[in-house]
Amino acid sequence: MPSGELPGSPVAPGVSAGPARYGEVFDRGYQRYGGARLGRGHGVWAIARYSMKRAMGFKKGWSSKVIPFFVYIAAALTAVIPIGIEAFIGQESIPYEGFFGLLYVLQGIFVATITPEFMCSDRRENVLSLYFSRAITRLDYLVGKLVGAALLTLTVTLAPALLLWLGRQLLADAPLDALWSNLADLGRLAFVGTMLALYLSAGGLMIASFTGRKSIAVAVIIVGIVVLESLIALLLFALEGDASRIANFFSPTTVTSGLVSGVFEPDRPPPPSDQPDFAFAWWGYASAMAVTITLCLAIMYRRYVPAD
Amino acid sequence: MTDRAVAPPIIEIANLTKRYGRQTALADLSLGVPFGAIGLLGANGAGKTTLIRVLLGLTKPTSGSARVLGIDTQAQPIEVRRRVGFMPESDCLPRDATAAEFVGHLAEVSGLPTRTARQRAADVLYQVGLDEERYRLIKGFSTGMKQRVKLAQALVHDPSLVFLDEPTNGLDPRGREDMLELVNRIHRTLGIAVVLSSHILEDIERVCTQVIIIDEGRLLLSQALRTHDDSRGDVMFRVEGDPGPIADRLRGRGLTVKVGLGEAGQDIVVSPESDETFDAIRDGVAELGLPLRMLRTRSSSLEDLYIGQLSNGSGAVVSGGTEQNHAER
């Protein structure tokens, strides 16, 4: 049917004038929908899935795919190279906490790239009015975005670590035994990877929610982390005692590395007595992350609340 | 339709007030609307969009209550939106998504299972006149096609009531005709109640069975529209110079004359429309030597209703083509 031409008056659903002949064309008509209507959870998951596809550049030009592609290549190499080295030297080449440290920059670049894709287009193209006129709440929309962004971020926080873990078990003399005996490490990796994904994506989404322009959001996320880290370093220098320790919770780098170290190296020795001990237990950093994620969601929710 | 005639109102509003700071957007509105195609008429800024937002449960009223399809919009806004569709006035479509992909996605957000959502999107896009085009990126669409996508997303989850906010905005005459035809079909063929918000009188007159007129947040009128079909038409004309003498002459012949209508305040409306009326106008302008600038019939219409109700005579509402041009020089 040519563009602009209206289809003919629809026939009643299921009504046919007579026996169908081969090649006969029917007006499909408008059918009322009497099937299942799933709940808000389905809507949240639909938003997460759709946003993930768009952030990864599905059905978009190559320029939307290039940064995630190179980040994945780099993350995969970060896992594969230690496995290769360990195959030759026969021992662990890098501890997990060091491995997460290597991935941190890649994770930052990835989050700075994808989270603006999640938030900015909807605001700039005014699509929010269509989402919010449907049977979901504004919080559902934001949770959908957070779930989608965190799932994508898991591909750079958890997937490379899983690859490293699996490679190590397969290199062992008795791979099945090694898999079984190192399940605890797998649990730790899953916990750390998930926390990092939620923490980083919540921060990225929160910043991106303030603008409709992706380029500005990307710049603010990257520059914002650098500025924040510098400010925290200044605070650490200026403050003393507990105030100085608590300032660490505002540093994304310290919080993420603190969690990884706390989980994989819980019995590390304290620093020499002439140096301050900034370290907390893993649950301290995990709590800081949970508070930050909740705070980011609250700020975003505030951004999306109607103005009345 | 008989069942629907006795059915409870699809919209019930009681003492609804909405204020933004000191600005009153809606002032103590109370009305009940039966199933049908409802025209929500008012000038820009009259409160139409605010009313729709309250009815969708997107904005809380300052006081009063509203029920849509029997559901309280404040207590159960999600349930209201599950059963209602909304086509916003503004441009609100993603540029780099296909129509099928985006409409299907919104169907899923409304709770339809994934495969069903995809099928419904294809069906509804076909119904609004976008078939093969549904796989093209929206950024390549004309304004009319975008309006159709917006309409499709409002219908895709099979609502019982759909709010259309200025659906003919930005359309060329052909696109406007098509859109009004679609709106007519939604109501008459698909059996979905329609609330059509517009500041264009003709759009509402062409499509709607009931009209709600609001101005500065106040309800001016809510009544069935088709009762005016029975009323007799008028004759409208314009002369150059002072319209007073010709008006007096026509009044002297027993005709009802109104002066000062139209954009320039120079139009004269004479009732009733008949051959004698035309003869009287012809004779009058000839005897007074007045240049006749325009003469046409004018059916008693929504425009009369609107002008009659609007005490301050806002010029922001656009009159439609209920007038048939006889002579305009």
Side-chain angles (χ1 to χ4, degrees):
Chain A
M1 190 177 58
S3 170
E5 192 175 309
L6 297 176
S9 294
V11 293
V15 175
S16 170
R21 289 173 304 172
Y22 177 75
E24 194 167 356
V25 177
F26 289 97
D27 186 335
R28 281 176 292 193
Y30 179 85
Q31 311 240 357
R32 298 308 299 255
Y33 177 68
R37 286 181 192 271
L38 307 174
R40 282 159 51 196
H42 181 71
V44 169
W45 179 232
I47 290 170
R49 264 189 11 248
Y50 181 76
S51 305
M52 285 162 67
K53 279 194 228 168
R54 286 176 67 81
M56 294 305 292
F58 281 34
K59 297 184 181 176
K60 288 185 181 178
W62 64 270
S63 59
S64 307
K65 302 178 177 80
V66 67
I67 293 179
F69 177 76
F70 278 112
V71 168
Y72 281 145
I73 296 281
L77 286 176
T78 309
V80 168
I81 289 172
I83 295 170
I85 293 170
E86 287 171 20
F88 281 104
I89 64 174
Q91 63 181 43
E92 192 176 284
S93 60
I94 185 170
Y96 285 117
E97 52 267 42
F99 179 71
F100 275 104
L102 287 178
L103 281 178
Y104 183 65
V105 173
L106 288 178
Q107 292 162 356
I109 293 170
F110 187 79
V111 166
T113 308
I114 65 154
T115 49
E117 293 281 351
F118 270 74
M119 303 302 276
C120 298
S121 302
D122 287 355
R123 181 174 288 280
R124 190 181 65 248
E125 292 169 334
N126 207 15
V127 182
L128 293 173
S129 60
L130 297 183
Y131 278 118
F132 296 154
S133 64
R134 312 200 93 80
I136 57 167
T137 64
R138 282 154 203 263
L139 189 60
D140 292 338
Y141 170 82
L142 294 173
V143 169
K145 292 289 180 183
L146 180 60
V147 167
L151 283 175
L152 267 191
T153 310
L154 272 177
T155 59
V156 290
T157 57
L158 181 57
L162 287 180
L163 187 61
L164 179 62
W165 178 84
L166 189 63
R168 280 179 174 165
Q169 313 320 312
L170 294 177
L171 286 175
D173 294 335
L176 279 179
D177 289 345
L179 279 170
W180 188 249
S181 59
N182 288 313
L183 272 181
D185 275 349
L186 184 62
R188 289 189 195 102
L189 291 175
F191 174 71
V192 167
T194 306
M195 286 303 290
L196 286 181
L198 282 169
Y199 177 71
L200 294 174
S201 49
L205 290 175
M206 188 271 286
I207 292 171
S209 71
F210 279 87
T211 176
R213 297 182 69 107
K214 284 184 262 189
S215 52
I216 291 176
V218 171
V220 169
I221 291 170
I222 293 171
V223 174
I225 289 175
V226 173
V227 170
L228 187 63
E229 295 292 355
S230 306
L231 284 175
I232 300 298
L234 279 174
L235 276 176
L236 288 176
F237 188 73
L239 298 174
E240 289 180 354
D242 283 346
S244 176
R245 292 187 79 204
I246 288 169
N248 277 300
F249 285 134
F250 297 97
S251 159
T253 309
T254 308
V255 170
T256 52
S257 61
L259 178 78
V260 175
S261 300
V263 167
F264 287 101
E265 201 185 3
D267 302 322
R268 72 188 144 183
S273 57
D274 58 335
Q275 292 177 20
D277 183 5
F278 290 125
F280 291 87
W282 67 267
W283 55 264
Y285 295 108
S287 303
M289 283 181 162
V291 169
T292 307
I293 293 164
T294 309
L295 197 63
C296 287
L297 262 179
I299 292 170
M300 282 191 279
Y301 184 73
R302 190 70 202 148
R303 282 282 296 153
Y304 287 85
V305 162
D308 52 41
Chain B
M1 294 300 271
T2 311
D3 289 344
R4 278 171 183 151
V6 296
I10 55 168
I11 296 171
E12 297 164 88
I13 296 170
N15 307 112
L16 190 71
T17 297
K18 176 66 190 174
R19 291 194 192 92
Y20 295 100
R22 294 174 130 189
Q23 181 82 22
T24 301
L26 298 172
D28 202 29
L29 251 62
S30 294
L31 59 96
V33 177
F35 177 91
I38 317 302
L40 185 55
L41 180 65
N44 290 330
K48 304 188 296 292
T49 302
T50 302
L51 179 57
I52 290 176
R53 287 179 59 81
V54 170
L55 294 176
L56 283 168
L58 296 173
T59 299
K60 286 185 179 172
T62 309
S63 63
S65 65
R67 298 177 79 82
V68 172
L69 302 168
I71 306 163
D72 190 318
T73 60
Q74 285 185 78
Q76 296 175 281
I78 299 289
E79 194 51 40
V80 169
R81 295 201 290 269
R82 195 182 303 284
R83 300 180 58 187
V84 165
F86 175 50
M87 175 184 173
E89 177 187 3
S90 57
D91 200 3
C92 55
L93 299 172
R95 288 169 48 76
D96 49 6
T98 66
E101 182 188 11
F102 185 63
V103 173
H105 166 58
L106 289 180
E108 273 196 84
V109 175
S110 290
L112 271 62
T114 306
R115 184 175 293 183
T116 311
R118 228 174 279 150
Q119 183 60 47
R120 283 280 309 174
D123 287 348
V124 173
L125 283 165
Y126 173 79
Q127 288 298 319
V128 299
L130 295 172
D131 195 12
E132 287 137 19
E133 298 90 341
R134 70 179 186 267
Y135 295 116
R136 281 171 43 193
L137 292 179
I138 291 170
K139 67 180 171 191
F141 281 12
S142 66
T143 305
M145 291 163 80
K146 285 180 184 168
Q147 292 291 81
R148 286 163 191 257
V149 178
K150 280 161 63 178
L151 184 59
Q153 65 78 31
L155 297 172
V156 72
H157 56 296
D158 191 26
S160 303
L161 165 66
V162 64
F163 290 99
L164 310 177
D165 197 357
E166 307 276 4
T168 57
N169 251 13
L171 297 181
D172 59 23
R174 168 77 194 273
R176 183 163 164 255
E177 284 296 315
D178 288 347
M179 179 55 70
L180 291 176
E181 179 58 31
L182 273 172
V183 175
N184 242 331
R185 277 190 55 203
I186 291 169
H187 161 52
R188 295 185 196 284
T189 313
L190 311 185
I192 297 170
V194 173
V195 172
L196 171 68
S197 165
S198 181
H199 65 285
I200 302 175
L201 293 168
E202 190 197 353
D203 287 359
I204 287 180
E205 197 158 45
R206 287 261 309 271
V207 171
C208 298
T209 55
Q210 166 111 8
V211 66
I212 297 167
I213 301 177
I214 58 175
D215 181 55
E216 293 179 348
R218 291 173 298 114
L219 176 68
L220 295 186
L221 182 79
S222 172
Q223 73 171 60
L225 198 54
R226 294 299 177 215
T227 53
H228 292 271
D229 281 352
D230 301 331
S231 60
R232 296 164 67 184
D234 302 325
V235 178
M236 176 183 264
F237 72 101
R238 191 186 308 148
V239 293
E240 196 167 295
D242 183 10
I246 181 71
D248 291 341
R249 181 178 285 263
L250 294 172
R251 284 193 191 101
R253 293 183 67 161
L255 296 166
T256 305
V257 180
K258 283 186 276 187
V259 183
L261 300 176
E263 285 180 17
Q266 288 285 306
D267 293 352
I268 305 162
V269 174
V270 188
S271 306
E273 177 197 348
S274 68
D275 289 345
E276 288 75 24
T277 307
F278 282 111
D279 291 345
I281 293 169
R282 180 200 60 202
D283 296 345
V285 295
E287 287 164 19
L288 292 170
L290 293 170
L292 182 64
R293 292 299 179 208
M294 179 267 287
L295 173 69
R296 60 192 179 193
T297 58
R298 176 176 175 275
S299 60
S300 181
S301 64
L302 183 57
E303 188 177 0
D304 300 301
L305 203 59
Y306 186 82
I307 290 168
Q309 292 294 329
L310 204 62
S311 55
N312 62 0
S314 166
V317 170
V318 180
S319 80
T322 55
E323 297 149 356
Q324 292 169 314
N325 217 355
H326 274 253
E328 193 154 6
R329 291 187 302 217

